[in-house]
Amino acid sequence: EAKRDGRNRAVIFTWSMKEVFNRIHEVENGLRQAIEKGELALHFQPIFDLATGNIVTCEALMRWEHPRLGRVPPSEFIPAAERIGIIEQLSIWALREACTAAAEWPSDVRVAVNISPASLTSGELPRTVIATLLETGLPARRLELEVTESLFLEDNRHTSQMLRELQLIGLKLVLDDFGTGYSSLSYLRSYSFDTIKVDQSFMAAIGNSREDQAIIQAVSHIAKTLDMETVAEGIETEDQLRHAREAGFNSGQGFLLCPPQPRDRMSEVLAAGTGMPDALAPARPAAR
Ligand code: C2E
Ligand code: MG
Ligand code: MG
Ligand code: MG
């Protein structure tokens, strides 16, 4: 049984190598023109205050519709953009799109833009951010930048100086996917983030893993002590929502509360009332 399995896998592997190679090639080539061709779009996923149920931030998530391949996931095209050296162009595009969209939203809702650590190396980001804020009229305090910790260079002077410059502009810095890197805790020491977003893998196992429960409680505690906000991402079930609340997380994001939405649906999502998912509604007083 195991043998047959192994052989099948080997066959599939050889067969798909060519496919994989062609796809990488097609993705990399298509990506170079994706912006000009208007194939990229931003979707937005609301992040809810777990105490009030209000939408506090909407995270911009890039979508790419390739004419032949169809929808290509960010987990595939973001690394491709880093490989071929155009991630900074994509970041600049996303920043402008996100700030333009957010400028039309209620003034108490922030927008969060994902920034690849690769975009931090050139040193241009603070200038780009300032130019974009001026151009779109979005106040700096309504912008958050999410930096994923996994590719961070430890104690890189360049990076920490740039992050400090960005904070001086007045925006908030979010450490994304917290807990997935090699030295999560040392990032907290080296860089001063405003918010920690705990990776969804911790949420995923929460119901049946005492270890993951203990970890998110500890992270929540550390964040409070260091004066940082906490976001739980990947909330898919009522159980996960309850655990996030019990651990004291400030806000939460996930398919249970609201999946990512196209830009033109956002005014509807943000309109009073419709943004409040049932799962977050305050419990009705028990009938007597
Ligand atoms: P991320 O920043 O951690 O974003 C959260 C991801 O989780 C998104 O995937 C979102 O659609 C997904 N998600 C939201 N709620 C749930 C849930 O309840 N369960 C599960 N399983 N997933 C949920 P998406 O849009 O595929 O993006 C994947 C990653 O690609 C992002 O992870 C981010 O690292 C990167 N990315 C997306 N857009 C951009 C961008 O504009 N720039 C850069 N540099 N990276 C981006
Ligand atoms: Mg993110
Ligand atoms: Mg994340
Ligand atoms: Mg993630």
Side-chain angles (χ1 to χ4, degrees):
E1 180 69 44
K3 217 174 184 178
R4 204 185 65 204
D5 226 54
R7 201 167 50 215
N8 282 347
R9 208 172 292 143
V11 170
I12 290 165
F13 187 69
T14 351
W15 170 78
S16 65
M17 273 308 278
K18 193 173 170 226
E19 286 275 311
V20 168
F21 188 80
N22 286 342
R23 181 163 174 116
I24 290 174
H25 194 69
E26 202 166 355
V27 164
E28 289 182 354
N29 277 336
L31 207 48
R32 295 182 204 277
Q33 289 140 41
I35 298 180
E36 295 155 51
K37 289 188 172 170
E39 293 165 4
L40 292 175
L42 287 186
H43 283 201
F44 295 92
Q45 186 177 34
I47 299 170
F48 295 86
D49 184 316
L50 290 182
T52 64
N54 292 333
I55 294 175
V56 284
T57 304
C58 296
E59 178 179 8
L61 295 161
M62 213 181 280
R63 297 291 176 257
W64 180 26
E65 192 76 34
H66 185 284
R68 208 184 68 81
L69 301 173
R71 168 107 18 125
V72 182
S75 55
E76 188 177 351
F77 71 78
I78 296 291
E82 288 168 353
R83 275 198 307 273
I84 63 173
I86 63 162
I87 187 64
E88 203 149 9
Q89 276 160 262
L90 290 196
S91 299
I92 292 171
W93 176 85
L95 203 56
R96 183 177 301 129
E97 283 285 306
C99 292
T100 306
E104 294 169 5
W105 301 343
S107 61
D108 55 348
V109 178
R110 296 188 292 266
V111 68
V113 180
N114 289 287
I115 296 294
S116 162
S119 316
L120 294 174
T121 49
S122 85
E124 288 294 316
L125 193 62
R127 235 175 305 174
T128 306
V129 167
I130 292 173
T132 308
L133 292 173
L134 289 173
E135 183 188 322
T136 58
L138 191 78
R141 60 172 172 80
R142 291 185 57 201
L143 177 63
E144 298 180 359
L145 295 183
E146 295 193 3
V147 190
T148 127
E149 68 163 24
S150 47
L151 289 175
F152 252 111
L153 300 169
E154 205 180 332
D155 276 330
N156 181 317
R157 251 199 300 130
H158 252 45
T159 306
S160 54
Q161 188 188 326
M162 169 125 21
L163 294 178
R164 217 162 293 138
E165 282 177 34
L166 288 166
Q167 274 173 320
L168 283 174
I169 298 172
L171 50 79
K172 283 181 187 290
L173 286 182
V174 181
L175 183 55
D176 202 355
D177 303 331
F178 184 80
T180 57
Y182 290 105
S183 47
S184 305
L185 290 176
S186 78
Y187 297 134
L188 298 186
R189 197 179 53 192
S190 309
Y191 311 111
S192 69
F193 285 91
D194 302 285
T195 303
I196 298 177
K197 199 185 258 200
V198 173
D199 191 66
Q200 53 201 46
S201 58
F202 292 98
M203 278 290 135
I206 207 77
N208 40 33
S209 161
R210 282 203 5 221
E211 290 80 4
D212 282 333
Q213 268 171 52
I215 288 170
I216 69 158
Q217 263 153 21
V219 169
S220 172
H221 183 75
I222 291 171
K224 279 213 181 81
T225 312
L226 296 177
D227 229 2
M228 291 186 279
E229 301 250 313
T230 41
V231 184
E233 77 175 342
I235 298 179
E236 296 180 352
T237 68
E238 305 260 348
D239 198 38
Q240 291 165 352
L241 175 62
R242 186 171 53 76
H243 279 290
R245 279 176 149 160
E246 280 172 9
F249 276 71
N250 300 98
S251 51
Q253 171 183 17
F255 296 153
L256 175 75
L257 306 174
C258 185
Q261 303 288 323
R263 178 179 166 181
D264 58 15
R265 281 227 50 224
M266 288 312 290
S267 54
E268 201 180 320
V269 170
L270 291 167
T274 56
M276 165 87 88
D278 287 347
L280 276 175
R284 281 194 212 106
R288 265 184 258 182

